[in-house]
Amino acid sequence: MVLNYIWVGFFLVAFVVAVGRTLLAGDLDVWAEVMSASFSSASTAFELSLGLTGILTLWLGLMKIGERAGVIRIFGRLVSPLFTRLFPGVPKDHPAMGSIFMNVSANMLGLDNAATPLGLKAMQELQELNPEKERATDAMIMFLVLNASGLCLIPISIIMYRAQAGATNPTDVFLPILVATFIATLVGIVALCLKQRISLRDPVLLAWLGGLTAIVGALVWFFSSLAPAEVERYSSFVANFLLFGVIALFMGFGLFRRINLYDAFIDGAREGFQTAVKIIPYLVAILVAIGMFRASGAMDVITRAMESAVGALGFDAQWVGALPTALMKPLSGSGSRGMMVDLMSTYGADSFVARVSAAIQGSTDTLFYVLAVYFGSVGVKRTRYAVGYGLLADVTGSVAGVLATYLFFG
């Protein structure tokens, strides 16, 4: 129901702003821009689904091998002390535990293309435990917020964009992103634990959260001691080596268990293709609404209002130029990425506002894309409080990104 109100809200705001531009500025072209955006967004949604088809068939095929070889179950047992606390409604040995672990690991390595099919697999397995198929369970919401908060230890794509834009040191935003994304994830987990009445005093949960905090702190210390070129080289190596290592592990266990690897892969790949087709309507719905919202000029109105408010309060407004990235981040990954690239082109990749934009871009994932794809793939329509807590993680990540950039570059 919440998603329905938000979806309709995008259209209503776009209509009101377009009417305002017509009456106040005599801009008759705005209607053509809005309608053009609706058609192009629908086309983009379909192209995204097609692009996901190959990735989904590949990774769900590999996941099927890992599942039949027993590797996913092993991964699930490794993290079961933490996940049984965060997902109390999921049995300890359920395949969903392993799939969630694989998805979170891919996100942490900045491997979005791998994370999405792994996340869809985990959501399908969580749906098997769902007694009300159209209503999101607590476990589904926890999993969605973990994805929306997007804990990423190695932001390879952002480093790549900065390098292409001519940044003197493309990796200098690594530490602000790491700090921002960790804070967003931690706040999301703690808030949901309070909402779902999961005890934060549990010694195992405290040990895991404390251990993750220590690991992030150690990574900040380690990478801050490296030369800029080494940061990019090591982060790329670690991510890709671990990813290929997972594939080799699945294959190796499959050979050891003497399963038919090819048949297992084909069975999983079929599921991937079917999932890709299923999410097309959900992607079209959300991306068309967002595209019309942007084309109407609503985003510009919000940005100008914020600039005026910050200036009136006497605060430093350097960061406000990155606000469109923050506002677009929950709505459209490609949109927020485009705004980040535009800022780098306009002000320079090494400008303060470009660095703020990069930190915001890397702090969280795209909430409404994740919501549409993950819940849409299993037919969940009643999202309950998922949107509110996902937005909490998004806002926290954006604020933390701004503050972290001031800390390192202010």
Side-chain angles (χ1 to χ4, degrees):
M1 187 62 70
V2 174
L3 189 57
N4 173 60
Y5 292 141
I6 292 172
W7 186 68
V8 173
F10 282 136
F11 288 109
L12 291 178
V13 172
F15 178 77
V16 170
V17 173
V19 169
R21 285 175 60 180
T22 301
L23 297 178
L24 299 177
D27 186 357
L28 301 181
D29 294 332
V30 62
W31 301 100
E33 293 171 9
V34 170
M35 290 312 301
S36 176
S38 71
F39 298 136
S40 62
S41 297
S43 177
T44 298
F46 185 70
E47 289 169 5
L48 276 173
S49 300
L50 287 179
L52 279 173
T53 302
I55 299 167
L56 283 168
T57 52
L58 169 64
W59 279 98
L60 292 189
L62 291 170
M63 281 289 288
K64 184 64 71 174
I65 293 174
E67 182 182 315
R68 291 185 182 176
V71 183
I72 304 300
R73 190 175 296 109
I74 293 172
F75 285 155
R77 288 174 181 169
L78 288 174
V79 295
S80 63
L82 172 63
F83 283 1
T84 51
R85 270 77 179 177
L86 295 180
F87 301 94
V90 181
K92 182 178 180 180
D93 294 326
H94 195 274
M97 289 294 193
S99 299
I100 293 171
F101 171 77
M102 294 292 295
N103 167 262
V104 171
S105 299
N107 274 324
M108 290 172 69
L109 295 172
L111 302 168
D112 298 339
N113 288 343
T116 299
L118 298 173
L120 290 170
K121 178 68 173 176
M123 191 62 76
Q124 289 168 357
E125 289 164 347
L126 290 174
Q127 179 71 332
E128 293 174 3
L129 301 170
N130 188 0
E132 300 180 50
K133 299 303 182 184
E134 294 189 356
R135 182 177 185 267
T137 63
D138 286 353
M140 286 178 167
I141 295 173
M142 176 67 79
F143 179 62
L144 182 126
V145 171
L146 281 177
N147 272 270
S149 62
L151 178 60
C152 179
L153 303 182
I154 306 176
I156 296 173
S157 60
I158 294 176
I159 292 172
M160 177 191 69
Y161 282 117
R162 285 179 53 76
Q164 290 175 343
T168 304
N169 177 10
T171 61
D172 62 7
V173 296
F174 173 79
L175 295 181
I177 290 174
L178 182 58
V179 170
T181 188
F182 178 70
I183 291 174
T185 302
L186 189 62
V187 168
I189 290 175
V190 170
L192 271 180
C193 284
L194 294 173
K195 172 67 176 178
Q196 297 180 0
R197 298 183 180 179
I198 298 171
S199 175
L200 289 170
R201 297 179 180 179
D202 187 293
V204 175
L205 186 57
L206 285 175
W208 272 87
L209 294 180
L212 287 173
T213 303
I215 290 171
V216 170
L219 284 171
V220 170
W221 173 82
F222 173 70
F223 281 104
S224 63
S225 66
L226 295 177
E230 290 179 315
V231 173
E232 183 176 2
R233 200 176 82 180
Y234 278 117
S235 59
S236 178
F237 164 75
V238 170
N240 289 292
F241 175 79
L242 290 178
L243 185 61
F244 189 81
V246 167
I247 296 174
L249 184 67
F250 284 1
M251 295 291 190
F253 262 78
L255 291 172
F256 178 75
R257 296 288 176 85
R258 296 182 179 180
I259 68 170
N260 189 317
L261 299 181
Y262 182 79
D263 285 350
F265 179 87
I266 295 300
D267 288 343
R270 283 200 192 97
E271 295 177 11
F273 181 81
Q274 293 166 359
T275 300
V277 172
K278 190 182 296 184
I279 65 176
I280 291 175
Y282 298 92
L283 273 180
V284 170
I286 198 67
L287 291 187
V288 166
I290 292 168
M292 295 177 74
F293 178 83
R294 287 177 60 195
S296 71
M299 189 66 70
D300 295 333
V301 172
I302 295 171
T303 302
R304 286 195 295 269
M306 181 62 75
E307 286 178 345
S308 300
V310 171
L313 292 172
F315 294 120
D316 181 30
Q318 288 187 82
W319 62 274
V320 178
L323 185 62
T325 304
L327 294 175
M328 187 55 62
K329 184 62 183 174
L331 308 177
S332 168
S334 59
S336 61
R337 194 179 306 118
M339 291 179 176
M340 177 187 71
V341 172
D342 180 67
L343 284 175
M344 288 191 287
S345 301
T346 304
Y347 299 99
D350 292 325
S351 64
F352 183 80
V353 68
R355 285 173 169 146
V356 172
S357 181
I360 292 172
Q361 176 70 17
S363 64
T364 56
D365 208 336
T366 308
L367 171 62
F368 288 101
Y369 171 82
V370 173
L371 194 73
V373 171
Y374 282 19
F375 281 168
S377 68
V378 294
V380 168
K381 298 177 182 177
R382 296 167 59 191
T383 61
R384 300 171 66 202
Y385 52 86
V387 174
Y389 282 80
L391 286 175
L392 172 64
D394 267 316
V395 172
T396 301
S398 294
V399 173
V402 173
L403 295 177
T405 308
Y406 272 102
L407 175 65
F408 288 99
F409 302 108

